[in-house]
Amino acid sequence: MSHPEDRPASPFRRLPPVHALLDAPELAIAIETHGRETVLSAVRSVLEEARQAISRGEAFPVDPDSLAGKAAGRLDADRPTLRPVINATGVLLHTGLGRAPLAREAAEAVSRVAAGYCNLEFDLEHGERGRRSSGVAELLRRITGAEAAAVVNNNAGATMLALRALAIGREVVVSRGQLVEIGGSYRLPEVFEASGARLREVGTTNKTRLADYERAIGPETAALLRVHSSNYTIVGFAESVGIGPMAALARSRGVLAIDEIGSGALGPGRPPGVSGEPTVAEGIAAGADLVLCSGDKLLGGPQCGLLLGRSEVICRIEADPMMRALRVDKMTLAALEATLRIALDPSRAARGIPLWAFLSTPVDRLRERADRLAGRLREELRLDATAADSVAFVGGGSAPDEAIPSASVRVIPPLPGPSPGASEASRALRLGSPGVVCRVQGGALWFDLRAVPEDQDGEIAGAIGEVVRG
Ligand SMILES: *Cc1c(COP(=O)(O)O)cnc(C)c1O
């Protein structure tokens, strides 16, 4: 019998054991962020790859540092595809970045119900089946003055559902100036087609008068619809009809008045800087039978569509089979309820709802922060960084004209390190942890602080530091 040592050493024996790799400093840190199991499986898969390469006779670096580095790289590539980013674009409701960030209370409410059971459709008092959205409906009534409310997946869903439930096979009268497109996938005429209601266009692009609506009303008419031009304005020789006169006309002719206000603050308080945007409360007070809006625009809540109006109208909507297809889940309802509790008190909303807080921050405060951050980038990273005034926007198809004074840090390339140019550096920043999305303008990187919570200034500095160090 020969002793194992007598045979030529197996090339596999040069591979370090799993535990030695797990102890490598790089992976010890990774265990803290990814958990031991995930790191272990990355290490095993790298070792397996090494064995295969060796058995094919290929060269493969088998020193612990290289193998640990490979495993760490694999973990990095295995990050969740949906992950948090810092929004330094100056666009507050950035559709690409998930529109409205939730209030802390709303995020906590989601996590409380998410992992377990909750009384979503269960009346705890009587031990019987309850209504899914009764809690938020009560809050929505209190804030807006509406008799009743329903919640669906988004405003596009709310509009389609309302048209279907209230006007399928019949006509709905809309001004030619209000046939909106909201970001490609939402065009009002197509929403009509999908709903089964017939679109009856009146007036012209720039002028529609009450008489135009009046002439269009006939036996086929189910409703008059006003749509807020959220993302464009018609100025100059222009005229449109407010929801008040439209609602009065509708009532006198026995048809419904629907107000699709889009971004809609609920009111009576609205966030600062968006004075031109309609509120739900105004629509209800003006006599609309139904008002529709998004939950993740000016309210600053979760993605959802809100339908508010007369009880009889909301009942017809809730009885439609499409309601079931568009209904929201427990997490959305939890976030919405928590947001509405804050929105009950506009002064609390200005502090507690991130979107409102961003809009309420005095520009001088942003300038101070930009100054401090720029100073830090100059001192610690030797960058050409200065504070500069900039302009932020609400975005998300809301208040297109309202330029909000803001402050930015402007970094002029080249940056030291492997990503010297503006576009290389902005790419590296996007791919970092956390990702930072900034503006590239005039060859410089602009970090607009209007939509950055103050406690993330340091994270921006850290992320830029990572890019500079490679
Ligand atoms: C944003 C908007 C919509 C679409 O709302 P979603 O919640 O994104 O579906 C529809 N109409 C108007 C006027 C809007 O501003």
Side-chain angles (χ1 to χ4, degrees):
M1 260 188 71
S2 65
H3 193 267
E5 296 298 323
D6 299 340
R7 281 189 262 144
S10 153
F12 299 132
R13 295 188 49 190
R14 287 186 294 128
L15 287 173
V18 170
H19 68 81
L21 291 182
L22 288 179
D23 288 342
E26 208 171 349
L27 292 183
I29 295 168
I31 288 174
E32 277 172 34
T33 38
H34 297 271
R36 194 182 156 82
E37 280 307 307
T38 310
V39 177
L40 187 59
S41 100
V43 164
R44 288 202 171 118
S45 102
V46 167
L47 286 172
E48 180 54 31
E49 190 187 328
R51 273 187 217 101
Q52 305 228 345
I54 293 167
S55 62
R56 286 193 301 267
E58 291 166 15
F60 199 97
V62 294
D63 58 293
D65 278 354
S66 307
L67 291 166
K70 253 194 174 359
R74 196 156 294 189
L75 285 168
D76 228 28
D78 201 33
R79 286 187 297 173
T81 55
L82 184 60
R83 47 188 192 247
V85 299
I86 293 175
N87 175 8
T89 63
V91 179
L92 278 67
L93 293 175
H94 195 301
T95 305
L97 304 182
R99 278 203 194 154
L102 291 181
R104 183 178 45 79
E105 289 88 337
E108 284 169 5
V110 172
S111 77
R112 272 199 300 276
V113 299
Y117 299 104
C118 66
N119 59 332
L120 181 62
E121 286 188 8
F122 188 66
D123 179 343
L124 293 172
E125 168 92 18
H126 302 101
E128 50 195 44
R129 195 178 172 88
R131 278 193 62 220
R132 177 171 284 243
S133 57
S134 52
V136 296
E138 173 55 27
L139 287 163
L140 286 167
R141 280 195 292 270
R142 275 167 63 190
I143 297 172
T144 65
E147 277 175 24
V151 185
V152 295
N153 190 48
N154 54 27
N155 189 23
T159 307
M160 188 168 323
L161 173 63
L163 291 174
R164 195 189 132 89
L166 306 174
I168 193 164
R170 300 181 63 200
E171 280 182 0
V172 175
V173 184
V174 187
S175 159
R176 288 200 167 86
Q178 298 175 356
L179 297 175
V180 302
E181 167 170 328
I182 311 280
S185 56
Y186 180 103
R187 310 178 88 192
L188 195 62
E190 290 166 14
V191 175
F192 263 86
E193 251 171 61
S195 76
R198 292 207 305 279
L199 170 61
R200 173 75 191 264
E201 298 175 32
V202 294
T204 60
T205 304
N206 53 329
K207 282 212 176 200
T208 304
R209 303 181 180 84
L210 195 61
D212 295 320
Y213 290 97
E214 200 161 7
R215 270 198 301 277
I217 299 175
E220 291 291 291
T221 310
L224 310 183
L225 171 66
R226 187 190 80 117
V227 184
H228 179 53
S229 54
S230 300
N231 54 2
Y232 63 100
T233 40
I234 299 178
V235 293
F237 188 61
E239 185 175 340
S240 63
V241 182
I243 188 63
M246 252 175 83
L249 171 63
R251 197 170 327 113
S252 74
R253 302 290 296 271
V255 301
L256 297 172
I258 304 174
D259 197 9
E260 207 275 75
I261 67 170
S263 63
L266 299 182
R270 48 160 90 78
V274 291
S275 48
E277 290 289 297
T279 70
V280 175
E282 286 166 4
I284 298 289
D289 298 287
L290 179 67
V291 182
L292 310 171
C293 71
S294 299
D296 56 344
K297 289 189 183 169
L298 294 186
L299 171 60
Q303 179 195 301
C304 61
L306 306 174
L307 304 102
L308 305 110
R310 290 199 294 109
S311 302
E312 181 262 334
V313 171
I314 299 296
C315 276
R316 280 167 68 191
I317 287 168
E318 290 196 311
D320 192 281
M322 187 81 97
M323 177 73 205
R324 170 65 186 249
L326 294 171
R327 73 182 184 185
V328 291
D329 71 343
K330 61 180 179 179
M331 292 182 282
T332 301
L333 284 172
L336 180 59
E337 178 172 348
T339 307
L340 292 174
R341 283 185 190 283
I342 303 173
L344 276 173
D345 173 358
S347 68
R348 212 179 137 212
R351 294 186 309 273
I353 296 180
L355 176 74
W356 290 47
F358 295 154
L359 286 165
S360 308
T361 310
V363 68
D364 281 341
R365 180 90 201 110
L366 297 179
R367 288 190 182 118
E368 283 166 30
R369 286 169 51 193
D371 257 337
R372 207 172 333 124
L373 182 51
R376 197 172 151 187
L377 297 176
R378 283 194 303 269
E379 278 161 36
E380 294 176 10
L381 302 171
R382 304 261 156 257
L383 296 181
D384 182 350
T386 41
D389 280 357
S390 54
V391 175
F393 290 93
V394 175
S398 306
D401 289 342
E402 307 225 31
I404 307 160
S406 187
S408 293
V409 173
R410 184 185 52 190
V411 176
I412 298 177
L415 277 65
S419 307
S423 68
E424 293 152 316
S426 66
R427 176 177 183 273
L429 282 162
R430 290 195 301 273
L431 293 175
S433 299
V436 177
V437 186
C438 64
R439 271 201 306 244
V440 174
Q441 205 175 299
L445 300 164
W446 289 72
F447 300 86
D448 189 305
L449 298 183
R450 179 58 76 184
V452 177
E454 192 161 342
D455 60 6
Q456 288 184 348
D457 289 356
E459 290 183 56
I460 293 181
I464 298 173
E466 291 288 315
V467 168
V468 166
R469 283 186 288 272

